[in-house]
C-alpha cells in the first residue's frame, strides 16, 4: 500500500488528493494543512468583503469530514510541515493546535504550500493595521476590523488582480478607497496603452487611483495609518491592505535541498517531479515554463495549479501525463468592464528578441444593429513572418471573456492569423457579427503579412517628419477633422479620395489615418493600387488619443 503525504490543502492539495483516490482506492492519503480550512475559494475572498458573495460558507468547497466520507482522505488542519528527511522519507510535523510535534512517513510527498504575500516594511505599531488578503483568516480579520472600528477609508497597495478586485469591492461596500501603485501602470500582463478604459472606469466609480506613487513610509497615526509617498505626499487611512505580489513559499523545499529556480520557485520536470524523484510539487510554489517562450517563470494562477495536481496524481498512479507550460490566461472584472490577457505582452516579446508586430482591433461585441452593442478593444501580437499568435489583451463588456478564451486556445494550438480567419464561430445578432472580432484580427494580420497594406502605430505618429517629405493624410469626414487633427495632416475624406489623387505627390510615401483604422485601410488599398506607397495608422485617431491618455 502506497502512502502519500500532501503539504497544503487548497487548490493543488485538494485536487491531487481527490484524483489520487479516484485512481487508487487502496492508497493512504494524508493532507497536512497549517490553516483552518481545506479547499477554500481564495479567489472569492474580495467578493465576500464586498458582499457580492453573501455567505462565508460559500467559499468553503470541502470540509475535513467531507473529504473523509467521500474520498477517505485524512485532512489534518493546523498541522505544519517543518522539515523533510529525504533519505528516510519522513516529514517532521508541528501540530499548531497544541504545540506538539511528530514524525510522519511517505512513499510520495506532494508539496503545495502555495505562495506567501509580500508585505511592505512598516514603522513599529503600524503592522497591526496592515493586512494581506490571502487566506480566509485574512478576510475574516479585515472584515472584523472594518466592522469593529466602523472603518471609513482604506488604502490598497498594489496594481495587480487582487488589488483591483479588493479596491472594487471595498468601494461597493461604501468605503472610501485609495489605490496606490508604485509603478506607472496597473495589471502587469497588460501593455500600458491598453489601460485607459480601466483607469476611467476605476475613477468614475469613486476609487482614487495614485500611479507612480511608491510608498516610502508606513506609520501609525492615531487610530489609523499614514502613508508617505515619494516626494513627501501623505495618505491617511483607517487601515491598509497590501496586495503587492506573492513569492513562492519554498522554504521547506529549500531546507530539504531541492533545486530552486531564480524566482525562488521549486524546479520541476514536465511530470511535476522535483529534483527528488519521490517528491512532487505544483501550484504557486513552483517555477513553470512560460508557454510561448518556454522560459522559466513564476506564474500564480488557479487553473494551471489544478492541471498540475492532476498530472501528479496520474504520474504517481502509473499513467504519466505532461505539463506543457503556463501561458498566463487571466481575466478580471473591474466594475462594469472586463479585462483579459493571454500569452505574452509586448514588453516580453521585446525582451525575447522576437520578430513580431501587433494589431489593435476596435470592434463591438455583437451586431451593431442589435440593441445594446458595446465596444470591444483588442490587441493581438503575432510573429513575423509566420503569423503565429503570441499574445492578446482585451478590454470590453459582455463577450470579452469569449474572445479571450478563443485567442487563448489559438496560442495553445500554435495557430496563425490564417487560422483565425478560418475559425467558424457561433453567430447570431445578439452574440456576434458575421465576422467575429477574432476573425477580424486574423484578417488584419493576414493583410499585413500578404503585403496588402502597411501600418504604423500610435507611438510613431509624433515622430513622423512634417518637413514635406511625406504625404500626411486624414481620411475622416470634414466634421471629424474640425474637431481635432494631427499637426500637418491634410483632410481628404476616403469617399472622395479617388477624385483627388492628383493632390498627392506619388514620389512621396503616404501616411494616413481615420478614426478607427477601417476607412484608412480602404484608403490605403485605393492608393496602393494607384501606384502610391501607403501606410495606415492601426487603431486610428481614436486609439492614439486613448493610448496617450494611458501613458501620458
Amino acid at each position: 500500500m502506497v502512502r502519500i503525504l500532501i503539504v497544503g490543502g487548497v487548490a493543488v492539495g485538494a485536487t491531487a488528493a481527490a484524483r489520487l483516490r479516484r485512481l487508487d482506492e487502496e492508497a493512504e492519503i494524508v493532507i497536512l494543512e497549517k490553516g483552518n480550512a481545506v479547499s477554500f475559494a481564495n479567489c472569492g475572498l474580495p467578493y465576500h468583503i464586498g458582499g457580492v458573495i453573501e455567505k462565508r460558507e460559500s467559499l468553503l468547497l470541502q470540509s475535513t469530514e467531507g473529504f473523509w466520507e467521500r474520498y477517505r482522505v485524512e485532512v489534518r488542519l493546523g498541522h505544519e510541515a517543518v522539515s523533510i528527511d529525504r533519505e528516510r522519507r519522513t516529514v517532521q510535523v508541528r501540530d499548531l493546535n497544541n504545540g506538539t510535534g511528530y514524525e510522519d512517513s511517505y512513499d510520495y510527498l506532494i508539496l503545495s504550500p502555495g505562495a506567501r504575500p509580500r508585505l511592505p516594511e512598516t514603522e513599529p505599531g503600524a503592522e497591526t493595521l496592515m493586512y494581506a488578503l490571502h487566506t480566509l483568516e485574512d478576510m475574516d480579520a479585515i472584515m472584523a476590523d472594518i466592522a469593529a472600528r466602523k472603518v471609513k477609508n482604506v488604502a490598497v497597495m498594489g496594481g495587480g488582480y487582487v488589488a483591483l478586485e479588493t479596491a472594487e469591492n471595498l468601494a461597493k461596500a461604501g468605503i472610501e478607497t485609495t489605490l496606490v501603485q508604485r509603478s506607472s501602470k496597473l495589471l502587469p500582463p497588460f501593455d500600458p496603452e491598453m489601460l485607459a478604459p480601466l483607469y476611467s472606469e476605476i475613477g468614475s466609480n469613486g476609487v482614487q487611483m495614485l500611479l507612480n506613487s511608491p510608498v516610502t513610509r508606513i506609520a501609525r497615526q492615531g487610530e489609523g495609518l499614514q502613508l508617505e509617498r515619494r516626494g513627501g505626499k501623505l495618505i491617511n487611512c483607517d487601515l491598509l491592505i497590501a496586495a503587492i505580489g506573492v513569492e513562492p513559499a519554498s522554504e521547506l523545499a529549500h531546507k530539504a535541498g531541492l533545486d530552486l529556480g531564480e524566482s525562488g520557485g521549486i524546479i520541476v520536470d514536465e511530470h511535476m517531479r522535483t529534483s527528488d524523484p519521490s517528491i512532487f510539487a505544483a501550484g504557486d510554489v513552483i517555477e513553470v515554463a512560460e508557454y510561448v517562450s518556454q522560459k522559466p517563470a513564476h506564474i500564480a494562477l488557479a487553473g494551471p495549479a489544478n492541471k498540475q495536481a492532476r498530472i501528479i496524481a496520474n504520474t504517481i498512479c502509473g499513467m504519466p501525463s505532461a505539463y506543457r507550460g503556463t501561458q498566463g490566461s487571466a481575466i478580471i472584472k473591474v466594475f462594469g468592464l472586463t479585462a483579459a490577457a493571454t500569452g505574452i505582452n509586448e514588453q516580453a516579446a521585446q525582451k525575447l528578441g522576437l520578430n513580431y508586430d501587433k494589431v489593435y482591433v476596435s470592434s463591438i461585441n455583437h451586431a451593431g444593429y442589435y440593441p445594446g452593442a458595446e465596444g470591444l478593444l483588442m490587441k493581438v501580437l503575432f510573429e513575423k513572418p509566420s503569423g503565429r499568435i503570441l499574445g492578446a489583451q482585451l478590454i470590453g463588456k459582455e463577450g470579452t471573456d469569449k474572445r479571450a478564451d478563443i485567442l487563448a486556445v489559438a496560442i495553445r494550438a500554435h495557430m496563425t492569423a490564417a487560422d483565425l480567419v478560418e475559425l467558424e464561430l457561433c453567430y447570431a445578432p445578439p452574440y456576434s457579427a458575421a465576422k467575429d472580432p477574432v476573425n477580424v484580427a486574423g484578417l488584419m494580420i493576414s493583410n499585413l503579412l500578404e503585403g496588402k497594406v502597411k501600418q504604423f502605430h500610435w507611438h510613431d505618429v509624433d515622430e513622423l517628419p512634417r518637413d514635406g517629405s511625406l504625404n500626411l493624410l486624414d481620411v475622416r469626414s470634414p466634421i471629424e477633422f474640425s474637431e481635432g487633427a494631427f499637426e500637418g495632416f491634410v483632410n481628404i475624406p476616403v469617399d472622395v479620395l479617388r477624385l483627388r489623387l492628383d493632390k498627392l505627390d506619388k514620389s512621396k510615401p503616404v501616411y494616413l489615418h481615420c478614426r478607427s483604422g477601417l476607412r484608412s485601410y480602404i484608403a490605403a488599398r485605393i492608393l496602393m493600387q494607384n501606384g502610391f506607397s501607403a501606410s495606415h495608422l492601426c487603431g486610428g485617431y481614436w486609439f492614439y488619443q486613448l493610448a496617450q491618455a494611458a501613458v501620458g
Side-chain angles (χ1 to χ4, degrees), residues 473-478 491-499 512-514 518-526:
L473 189 58
D474 184 328
V475 299
R476 297 176 299 161
S477 70
N491 183 220
I492 303 178
V494 63
D495 292 338
V496 298
L497 179 59
R498 291 181 181 86
L499 304 176
L512 66 154
H513 77 90
C514 65
L518 176 58
R519 285 173 289 175
S520 60
Y521 163 65
I522 295 169
R525 291 300 302 151
I526 293 170

Side-chain angles (χ1 to χ4, degrees), residues 241-260:
I241 298 176
I244 57 176
V246 296
E247 53 193 20
S250 54
E251 299 87 352
L252 183 65
H254 177 66
K255 286 194 298 182
L258 299 178
D259 293 344
L260 305 183

Side-chain angles (χ1 to χ4, degrees), residues 40 42 45 113-117 132-139 246 284:
F40 69 91
N42 53 1
L45 301 181
R116 60 175 175 272
L133 183 54
H134 195 66
T135 65
L136 279 169
E137 291 83 2
D138 294 334
M139 180 192 74
V246 296
D284 295 355

Side-chain angles (χ1 to χ4, degrees), residues 4 15-30 67-68 70-74 313 317:
I4 303 162
T15 301
R19 176 66 174 170
L20 282 163
R21 176 57 74 223
R22 291 195 295 272
L23 296 177
D24 186 346
E25 183 65 17
E26 302 300 322
E28 287 187 74
I29 306 170
V30 177
F67 255 111
W68 179 254
R70 179 167 296 179
Y71 298 109
R72 288 299 187 265
V73 170
E74 181 184 354
C317 294

Side-chain angles (χ1 to χ4, degrees), residues 406-437:
I406 294 168
L407 289 164
V409 172
I411 293 169
R412 178 65 56 164
H414 296 276
M415 294 173 71
T416 67
D419 296 319
L420 296 188
V421 173
E422 292 298 321
L423 286 178
E424 184 176 333
L425 304 173
C426 295
Y427 160 65
Y431 301 103
S432 183
K435 284 189 293 189
D436 189 88

